[in-house]
Coordinates of all heavy atoms in Angstrom, one line a residue:
K125 N -38.9 -69.7 36.0 CA -37.5 -69.9 35.7 C -37.3 -69.0 34.4 O -36.0 -69.1 33.9 CB -37.2 -71.3 35.4 CG -36.7 -72.0 36.8 CD -36.0 -73.4 36.4 CE -37.2 -74.4 36.2 NZ -36.8 -75.8 36.2
G148 N -36.3 -73.0 40.8 CA -36.9 -74.4 40.9 C -38.1 -74.4 41.8 O -38.4 -73.4 42.4
S149 N -38.7 -75.6 42.0 CA -39.9 -75.7 42.7 C -40.9 -74.6 42.5 O -41.5 -74.1 43.4 CB -39.6 -75.9 44.1 OG -38.7 -76.9 44.4
E151 N -43.8 -74.5 41.5 CA -45.1 -74.8 41.8 C -45.6 -74.3 43.2 O -46.7 -74.1 43.5 CB -45.5 -76.3 41.7 CG -45.4 -76.8 40.3 CD -44.1 -77.1 39.7 OE1 -43.1 -76.9 40.6 OE2 -43.9 -77.5 38.6
D164 N -44.1 -72.4 33.5 CA -43.2 -73.4 33.8 C -43.3 -74.4 32.7 O -44.2 -74.5 31.9 CB -43.3 -73.9 35.1 CG -42.0 -74.8 35.6 OD1 -41.0 -74.6 35.0 OD2 -42.1 -75.4 36.7
I165 N -42.3 -75.5 32.7 CA -42.3 -76.6 31.9 C -43.4 -77.5 32.4 O -43.4 -77.8 33.5 CB -41.0 -77.3 31.9 CG1 -39.9 -76.5 31.3 CG2 -41.1 -78.8 31.4 CD1 -40.1 -76.4 29.8
V166 N -44.4 -78.0 31.6 CA -45.4 -79.1 31.9 C -45.0 -80.3 30.9 O -45.0 -80.2 29.9 CB -46.7 -78.7 31.8 CG1 -47.7 -79.8 32.1 CG2 -47.0 -77.4 32.6
E167 N -44.8 -81.5 31.6 CA -44.5 -82.6 30.8 C -45.7 -83.6 30.9 O -46.6 -83.6 30.1 CB -43.2 -83.3 31.2 CG -42.8 -84.4 30.2 CD -41.4 -85.0 30.6 OE1 -40.8 -84.5 31.5 OE2 -41.1 -86.0 29.9
T168 N -45.9 -84.3 32.0 CA -47.0 -85.2 32.2 C -48.1 -84.4 32.9 O -49.2 -84.8 32.8 CB -46.6 -86.3 33.1 OG1 -46.1 -85.7 34.4 CG2 -45.4 -87.1 32.6
G169 N -47.8 -83.3 33.6 CA -48.8 -82.6 34.3 C -49.0 -83.1 35.7 O -49.8 -82.6 36.5
A170 N -48.2 -84.1 36.1 CA -48.3 -84.7 37.4 C -47.9 -83.7 38.6 O -48.6 -83.6 39.6 CB -47.4 -85.9 37.6
T171 N -46.8 -82.9 38.3 CA -46.4 -81.9 39.3 C -47.5 -81.0 39.6 O -47.8 -80.6 40.8 CB -45.1 -81.2 38.9 OG1 -44.2 -82.2 38.6 CG2 -44.5 -80.4 40.1
Ligands
PRP327 C1 -39.8 -79.7 35.8 C2 -40.8 -78.6 35.8 C3 -41.9 -79.1 36.6 C4 -41.9 -80.5 36.1 C5 -42.9 -80.9 35.2 O1 -39.2 -79.6 37.0 O2 -40.2 -77.3 36.4 O3 -41.8 -78.9 37.9 O4 -40.6 -80.8 35.7 O5 -43.0 -82.2 34.9 P1 -44.4 -83.1 35.0 O6 -45.5 -82.2 34.3 O7 -44.1 -84.4 34.3 O8 -44.8 -83.2 36.4 P2 -37.7 -80.1 37.3 O9 -37.8 -81.6 37.5 O10 -36.7 -79.7 36.2 O11 -37.3 -79.4 38.7 P3 -37.3 -78.0 39.1 O12 -38.1 -77.0 38.1 O13 -38.0 -78.0 40.5 O14 -35.8 -77.7 39.2

Side-chain angles (χ1 to χ4, degrees):
K125 271 190 278 194
S149 302
E151 292 81 2
D164 198 15
I165 292 289
V166 178
E167 191 180 351
T168 61
T171 311

